[in-house]
Structures are given as C-alpha cells and as structure tokens.
Amino acid sequence: MVGLNIGVADYKLRIEQSIGWLSKGDSVKFAVRLRGREHQYREQAGKLLDWVVNDLSQVGKVQSLDKRSLIALIIPA
C-alpha cells in the first residue's frame, strides 16, 4: 500500500523489492491509499499505478489493473 505523496527513495525501494519478489515467482499487489482531500487527485493516483506497471514490465505482467479502486496486481512474466 502506497500513498499518493510517496517520495522518490521510497518508490525506488518498493520497485526494487517488487523486482526481487517477481523474480522469485511471487506476485505483487500495489494499492494506492487516498486520504481526505487526496481524493481530488485520483488522476495522479492512476498515473502512479501506470508508472509502477511500466517500471515492472521487464520482470512481470499485469494480471489486473483497476483504476477505480486504485489496485494493480502484477504476476511474474
């Protein structure tokens, strides 16, 4: 679970951990949590999920991407 205002270092750490898990054969689920007034920025949350999918496209493929509930499930390629 990540927030909308995730920092660059935290984002890179989550991506590196996900690459490790996907290379072992595990699946990874990313969910964006919006709190309070952050609900105004649902488009940015959708873009964040697109970046995650793009960064993990080398080692995994998308099983499901639900931008309405802001969840992406990625399985090993």
Side-chain angles (χ1 to χ4, degrees):
M1 179 119 16
V2 295
L4 184 58
N5 295 324
I6 188 170
V8 175
D10 291 331
Y11 177 79
K12 288 182 181 179
L13 179 68
R14 298 284 172 101
I15 294 297
E16 290 172 7
Q17 287 176 338
S18 299
I19 289 172
W21 291 325
L22 287 168
S23 63
K24 288 181 187 176
D26 297 332
S27 60
V28 177
K29 181 178 182 181
F30 273 90
V32 179
R33 177 191 299 172
L34 299 177
R35 297 173 142 191
R37 294 184 184 187
E38 290 179 349
H39 286 281
Q40 299 174 26
Y41 304 104
R42 290 188 75 82
E43 291 179 17
Q44 290 179 350
K47 289 179 184 178
L48 177 63
L49 283 178
D50 289 337
W51 292 336
V52 167
V53 168
N54 188 27
D55 290 343
L56 295 177
S57 65
Q58 299 280 333
V59 293
K61 59 182 179 178
V62 178
Q63 182 176 4
S64 66
L65 177 63
D66 186 7
K67 288 191 178 181
R68 182 178 170 128
S69 57
L70 299 173
I71 296 174
L73 182 61
I74 302 166
I75 59 174

